[in-house]
Amino acid sequence: MQFVKETAPHIKRKDNLMWMLLNVIIGLAPVCIWAWVAYPLSALRIFPLALATCVLCEFLFILIVKKSVKEFKIENILSSIITGMIYSLCLPTELGFASGTGYFVVVAGAAIGIILGKLVFGGLGNNIFNPAALGMIVVRLFWGGISGNAAGTAGVIDSTISSGATALQTTLPVSNLLDLLLGRIPGALGETFHIAIIIGMIYLLVTKTIDWKVLVSYLGTFLVLTLVAGLVLQIKGGDNFAIYTAYQLLSGGVLFGAVYMITDPVTGPVGDPARVLFGAFAGFVTVAIRLLVGTEGVGFSILFANMIAPALNYPQWSSSKWKKWHFITAGALAGVALLAVILPLALK
């Protein structure tokens, strides 16, 4: 018997890794185009710096570790480009560029994200953290207050969706929902125009580039828990639960994170039950952070889910069929999630 060593992602596909990476870039294209059209100056400042930083870090890693330029293959370039694209789209449109600080922030976040999130683990196919999510979180934690636009570091960086509405408000005008859908609100470069995200999602699903089970479990868990939260708030005198849920879905980076980040096959577990649990856990963490902390939880939820992915990859858990411990875990997660949503809102 001959054993063949291959790097992740371990997905049964007719095409190869290069075409899979190209599909991701094509799936990101509608969102990138929107970013360049809506925020041309910010896109010009952020995209080239982020992409160049990611590609350069990847090249230096190959040069140092592999000690040969020939090992710097097209897959390495495409992978680092994807990281740079997603990271760029997660950043707010204003990062203090007037003072020059923003340029340093873009480079530092991209470098830290790809080095600590990917390269230290061995590079392409070996990372356990999503490098774009890690880079975005670094920017938020260290430089979250330097934005000069009306919404601060909005969207993925902050839960503020406009100058007067947050994810925890209970009085929400219905008319703003269309603005949220069409990107007529301040936010990160790539997360405001949801039509572009949906177009990219359809392409990635049709080409089977992303796993629909992770996507559905993440969004499904998020929507169910948000509906429950909306019902509790409605009982306490807030808005209609459907309006509240729509606001939660369309504000921040939920849809963007669901399509382009949590579905990353390298940082997710193997096996259908494990992937469902993986997505459900991330959805729960997103809602919990939004409700209990009052800030955006997408980036943190992705990193927390990445942390439990190795445990879900334990041989007994990575089964392609549902076993009793999968159902027990799913039931326990559902119970904890519902309590974590209902109790704080009911007692508040």
Side-chain angles (χ1 to χ4, degrees):
M1 180 182 296
Q2 181 182 5
F3 292 93
V4 179
K5 182 180 179 181
E6 296 287 351
T7 58
H10 304 290
I11 302 177
K12 186 177 180 181
R13 299 174 56 85
K14 294 181 180 180
D15 52 12
N16 55 29
L17 178 59
M18 184 188 73
W19 284 108
M20 179 181 176
L21 295 172
L22 285 173
N23 280 332
V24 175
I25 293 176
I26 295 172
L28 282 164
V31 188
C32 291
I33 293 171
W34 160 256
W36 280 90
V37 171
Y39 311 104
L41 185 57
S42 296
L44 183 61
R45 288 165 166 170
I46 294 174
F47 273 99
L49 275 178
L51 268 64
T53 301
C54 290
V55 173
L56 179 60
C57 288
E58 185 90 19
F59 174 75
L60 293 176
F61 169 79
I62 295 296
L63 197 61
I64 294 171
V65 176
K66 305 291 186 180
K67 302 185 184 303
S68 174
V69 178
K70 294 181 180 180
E71 294 296 326
F72 188 56
K73 301 177 180 179
I74 184 65
E75 290 83 1
N76 299 102
I77 299 174
L78 295 176
S79 175
S80 53
I81 287 176
I82 290 172
T83 297
M85 291 173 70
I86 296 176
Y87 167 73
S88 298
L89 293 168
C90 288
L91 295 180
T93 55
E94 177 56 52
L95 279 168
F97 290 110
S99 63
T101 309
Y103 300 103
F104 170 78
V105 171
V106 173
V107 173
I112 293 173
I114 196 167
I115 292 173
L116 297 184
K118 176 182 177 183
L119 301 182
V120 296
F121 296 100
L124 179 62
N126 296 304
N127 53 297
I128 64 171
F129 291 110
N130 185 294
L134 181 59
M136 176 264 292
I137 291 298
V138 168
V139 170
R140 171 180 174 175
L141 293 179
F142 287 93
W143 300 286
I146 69 172
S147 176
N149 63 352
T153 46
V156 177
I157 307 298
D158 198 310
S159 62
T160 304
I161 57 177
S162 69
S163 58
T166 67
L168 295 179
Q169 276 189 288
T170 56
T171 303
L172 304 169
V174 181
S175 59
N176 283 1
L177 289 176
L178 184 60
D179 292 335
L180 287 171
L181 179 66
L182 299 179
R184 297 172 183 167
I185 47 94
L189 271 179
E191 50 105 50
T192 56
F193 188 50
H194 291 82
I195 302 298
I197 299 174
I198 292 172
I199 293 173
M201 178 186 69
I202 293 173
Y203 176 81
L204 294 175
L205 287 172
V206 169
T207 57
K208 298 183 179 180
T209 304
I210 60 175
D211 188 350
W212 66 269
K213 292 178 284 295
V214 178
L215 176 69
V216 171
S217 63
Y218 176 80
L219 288 179
T221 302
F222 177 86
L223 289 174
V224 169
L225 294 178
T226 304
L227 279 169
V228 172
L231 285 170
V232 175
L233 291 174
Q234 182 177 340
I235 293 173
K236 299 184 68 175
D239 267 323
N240 179 277
F241 70 93
I243 298 176
Y244 176 83
T245 302
Y247 257 88
Q248 286 283 350
L249 178 63
L250 296 177
S251 63
V254 173
L255 193 59
F256 182 87
V259 175
Y260 298 111
M261 301 175 81
I262 194 65
T263 53
D264 176 14
V266 176
T267 55
V270 177
D272 291 348
R275 292 182 182 182
V276 171
L277 293 173
F278 174 78
F281 175 79
F284 159 58
V285 174
T286 300
V287 175
I289 292 177
R290 282 190 169 195
L291 292 178
L292 303 181
V293 184
T295 188
E296 178 61 283
V298 174
F300 289 105
S301 71
I302 291 169
L303 296 182
F304 282 130
N306 293 161
M307 291 172 63
I308 71 164
L312 294 174
N313 274 332
Y314 187 73
Q316 289 183 320
W317 283 85
S318 59
S319 168
S320 60
K321 296 182 179 180
W322 283 83
K323 303 291 181 68
K324 63 178 182 181
W325 48 80
H326 292 131
F327 289 106
I328 294 173
T329 303
L333 178 61
V336 171
L338 289 173
L339 288 176
V341 169
I342 296 173
L343 288 181
L345 292 178
L347 298 176
K348 187 174 180 180

